[in-house]
Amino acid sequence: SQQGEEDPQALSIQEGENATMNCSYKTSINNLQWYRQNSGRGLVHLILIRSNEREKHSGRLRVTLDTSKKSSSLLITASRAADTASYFCATVLYNQGGKLIFGQGTELSVKP
Amino acid sequence: DAGVTQSPTHLIKTRGQQVTLRCSPKSGHDTVSWYQQALGQGPQFIFQYYEEEERQRGNFPDRFSGHQFPNYSSELNVNALLLGDSALYLCASTLLGDYGYTFGSGTRLTVV
């Protein structure tokens, strides 16, 4: 079963707008990661946030983590058409050897 | 520096046949994981290999087996193919103990 659930399942915005995707999970984690996937191809690692961190930034990406609510959000600022892709959160559980448990993903469409 | 290389990129097989997918990890990585991604779903963990041994296994039947070679490359074998095995198969590599995963572009398997 999936550990994480993303919300919304699909998001359509205009270029220049911000995009926010949310991820909820069920059990305690070691870390949470966000990945991007273009057109059903390979996954690209975007950012990793550890369980003792609350916020991380990478370029136009901002990730937050609330372990008390078991949730994370990914914010993409000033979106571009090239950001159109599916975004997945993946959790790594303690004592689980590092395997990634993915959610169902959010499909983001950025219109020029 | 080459990333993760998977072959072939596409494959069509008939029900009941057997298939072998191949993965070369990123240079410097020693751990290889395999994931199955059905259309519209998040990737599902199949198994992970380190030092030529299966370290972890997801909820997949014994028809799914793997191997890791001394040069860290890996194979995924699926026997007695079912229509439901049609999916994108992703290989990911990392250095054991690190959580930074690099994914390949995947092999698209279609079972007819």
Side-chain angles (χ1 to χ4, degrees), chain B residues 2 11 14 17-19 29 33 38 42 47 51 56-57 60-62 72 78-79 86 95 101 106:
Chain B
L11 202 53
T14 304
Q17 285 188 316
Q18 179 263 344
V19 68
H29 287 181
S33 302
F47 41 53
E51 288 190 340
Q56 276 192 289
R57 188 179 183 91
F60 279 81
D62 292 344
Y72 308 117
V78 187
N79 294 322
S86 294
L95 193 60
Y101 291 90

Side-chain angles (χ1 to χ4, degrees), chain B residues 11-19 80-87 108-112:
Chain B
L11 202 53
I12 300 175
K13 288 286 190 178
T14 304
R15 273 181 301 175
Q17 285 188 316
Q18 179 263 344
V19 68
L81 284 166
L82 305 174
L83 295 179
D85 295 332
S86 294
R108 173 77 61 189
L109 173 65
T110 302
V111 182
V112 298

Side-chain angles (χ1 to χ4, degrees), chain A residues 81-100:
Chain A
D83 295 328
T84 295
S86 293
Y87 292 82
F88 294 91
C89 70
T91 53
V92 176
L93 308 183
Y94 284 106
N95 302 319
Q96 289 289 313
K99 73 178 181 183
L100 295 169

Side-chain angles (χ1 to χ4, degrees), chain A residues 13 28 38 53 81 92 96 110:
Chain A
I13 59 174
S28 295
N38 291 84
E53 297 175 312
V92 176
Q96 289 289 313
V110 182

